[in-house]
Amino acid sequence: MKIIKRDDLLKHKPLIIGGPCAVESRIQINEAAGKLVKMGVKILRCQLWKPRTDPDSFQGIGLAGLKFLLEIKNKYNVLIATEITDKDQIAKTQGVADILWVGARNMQNFELLKALGKDKRPVILKRGLISTIDEWIGASKYIGSDRVILCERGIRTGADSMRFTMDINGLLVAKYDHNMPVIIDPSHTAGRADMVPYLAYAGIAAGADGIVVEVHPQPEKALSDATQQITPEVFKEVISKVNAIYKLRHQKEFAITHFGAKEKVQPGKKPTKTLLFLAVSDRVGILKDILTVFSDYDINLSKLESQPGKQGSWDYAFEVEANSNASEPRLIQALSILKKLCVIIKILGEY
Ligand code: PEP
Ligand code: MN
């Protein structure tokens, strides 16, 4: 099986993952997969092992379900994401699961995380029910940060009007201060199907890189999390709005403030990097011309990200991290040349 890389997954902008809370039967997962694939979903959540509060509740069909996953994988050409609750399952899912998954209750199961660190597949790491961001980031390092996609699935707070509270603040800190991709799980946050779409929209508007949603062909018959699973029909509507919000987030001025959230100023420290926002009109060679200016002034870049801007005075924006502080003459001179090439230049911050 070809191993997909985490960064290739992140080329899906936004990343959309859907599927039932649990694989229940061959018929159920085939029906779910058929409907999801038809609406363009390329990654399915297919959980075989279910950590449940009550030992008398449905625990998942376990290894017996692997053959169903292989069947839908081959039939629909989809990527399979599945939760690992024990390190023995890592080897057993090889050749079937493209993406491994650590549930909230296992976020600090360090032996499991270390074992995952020896695998090569991307891992979705859910945030623990009451974990801090530092604990979440620490856990990701056991696996290897460059293979991890974090998943904010709601935490316990004093607010108890829904199952959990989606921590938008935490999402922003994990994404921008720790430079990690973060997707959201509005299903477990809400605990109720009618609120799932709104939480998905809020998370995407705030900065999430994608969503993972529980989708069941007949939610009322689900063997686990029946109250929060949405139908494929509702999911279709959610995907279309999520895509629209994601696009809006990357447009024009909105993008400027969005990038601005990355400022990492450390009081008292002399800055060594400058974060720049450069918006340009599209033409062949514009990126090369911009890069040449930095190279002419001997300025190394540690980051370059592009974002399309569909309307208005510019077509593309680049977020550039230059290894120079903003008062160094070489950067000041480079910016004076870049002014002629760009529609907008903003210094977003130094750190
Ligand atoms: C799940 O994804 O079905 C699940 C149990 O989620 P969590 O680990 O976030 O509770
Ligand atoms: Mn669930």
Side-chain angles (χ1 to χ4, degrees):
M1 185 180 81
K2 185 177 171 286
I3 291 178
I4 182 133
K5 289 211 163 68
R6 192 254 337 235
D7 291 349
D8 287 332
L9 288 176
L10 294 171
K11 287 181 187 154
H12 294 271
K13 288 176 184 284
L15 191 62
I16 305 282
I17 307 176
C21 175
V23 177
E24 298 167 2
S25 68
R26 177 169 181 260
I27 294 178
Q28 174 248 17
I29 196 64
N30 263 277
E31 189 184 348
K35 290 192 168 167
L36 288 164
V37 168
K38 206 164 160 200
M39 64 176 77
V41 177
K42 305 221 163 19
I43 310 169
L44 302 187
R45 50 162 290 152
C46 298
Q47 319 303 67
L48 300 174
W49 294 278
K50 297 298 305 171
R52 305 297 305 282
T53 306
D54 180 353
D56 294 329
S57 63
F58 174 63
Q59 302 286 305
I61 63 174
L63 265 191
L66 267 186
K67 55 183 179 295
F68 308 148
L69 303 193
L70 201 55
E71 180 184 348
I72 58 167
K73 184 179 172 66
N74 293 331
K75 186 159 151 196
Y76 296 110
N77 192 25
V78 280
L79 297 175
I80 304 282
T82 204
E83 180 169 346
I84 296 294
T85 56
D86 185 281
K87 50 188 176 184
D88 291 348
Q89 297 157 1
I90 299 173
K92 289 179 180 148
T93 57
Q94 250 154 25
V96 181
D98 301 279
I99 302 160
L100 299 176
W101 179 304
V102 178
R105 287 153 193 84
N106 272 319
M107 190 205 88
Q108 286 193 311
N109 180 342
F110 296 113
E111 294 310 313
L112 181 64
L113 303 180
K114 282 182 209 166
L116 282 164
K118 296 190 185 123
D119 199 81
K120 296 218 157 32
R121 289 169 282 180
V123 178
I124 293 174
L125 178 65
K126 284 192 150 187
R127 181 168 173 196
L129 310 190
I130 50 162
S131 300
T132 64
I133 303 302
D134 283 345
E135 287 163 348
W136 199 14
I137 297 296
S140 74
K141 291 181 186 162
Y142 277 87
I143 300 167
S145 307
D146 58 347
R147 279 177 44 228
V148 171
I149 295 174
L150 299 176
C151 178
E152 165 59 40
R153 46 82 70 212
I155 51 165
R156 282 223 167 100
T157 65
D160 61 356
S161 54
M162 286 192 218
R163 195 174 175 189
F164 294 97
T165 302
M166 192 195 291
D167 182 14
I168 298 281
N169 308 22
L171 185 159
L172 293 173
V173 170
K175 183 174 161 105
Y176 293 116
D177 285 355
H178 296 278
N179 210 13
M180 288 294 287
V182 188
I183 58 173
I184 43 148
D185 171 349
S187 308
H188 290 86
T189 304
R192 44 187 278 197
D194 59 343
M195 295 296 179
V196 166
Y198 306 112
L199 291 168
Y201 306 149
I204 289 290
D209 296 294
I211 53 172
V212 51
V213 178
E214 287 192 341
V215 187
H216 194 291
Q218 292 164 294
E220 66 291 349
K221 295 202 175 141
L223 299 182
S224 56
D225 283 346
T227 58
Q228 71 194 29
Q229 305 210 51
I230 60 172
T231 60
E233 292 70 32
V234 172
F235 192 40
K236 192 170 178 194
E237 174 71 18
V238 170
I239 293 174
S240 109
K241 288 204 179 130
V242 156
N243 281 330
I245 294 168
Y246 187 90
K247 260 192 204 139
L248 189 68
R249 195 178 96 196
H250 289 95
Q251 275 176 20
K252 299 202 297 177
E253 284 70 25
F254 201 112
I256 298 179
T257 43
H258 201 70
F259 288 159
K262 291 189 179 181
E263 293 172 19
K264 294 175 257 183
V265 182
Q266 292 187 15
K269 276 204 172 172
K270 192 171 182 296
T272 54
K273 293 186 177 190
T274 304
L275 191 64
L276 300 166
F277 175 91
L278 310 178
V280 297
S281 303
D282 197 17
R283 69 166 167 79
V284 174
I286 181 68
L287 180 57
K288 183 177 149 284
D289 292 348
I290 287 175
L291 293 179
T292 305
V293 176
F294 285 109
S295 135
D296 285 351
Y297 285 92
D298 205 20
I299 298 168
N300 250 340
L301 303 182
S302 38
K303 188 164 186 188
L304 175 71
E305 237 178 55
S306 79
Q307 305 280 351
K310 289 262 181 290
Q311 308 154 5
S313 59
W314 50 271
D315 302 306
Y316 281 95
F318 299 104
E319 180 202 27
V320 176
E321 189 181 68
N323 289 359
S324 158
N325 70 47
S327 36
E328 277 187 53
R330 57 185 179 142
L331 186 59
I332 295 170
Q333 282 162 14
L335 289 178
S336 72
I337 308 281
L338 286 167
K339 263 186 197 144
K340 295 175 198 144
L341 298 173
C342 300
V343 182
I344 304 172
I345 295 192
K346 271 187 190 276
I347 295 177
L348 298 175
E350 294 176 280
Y351 39 87

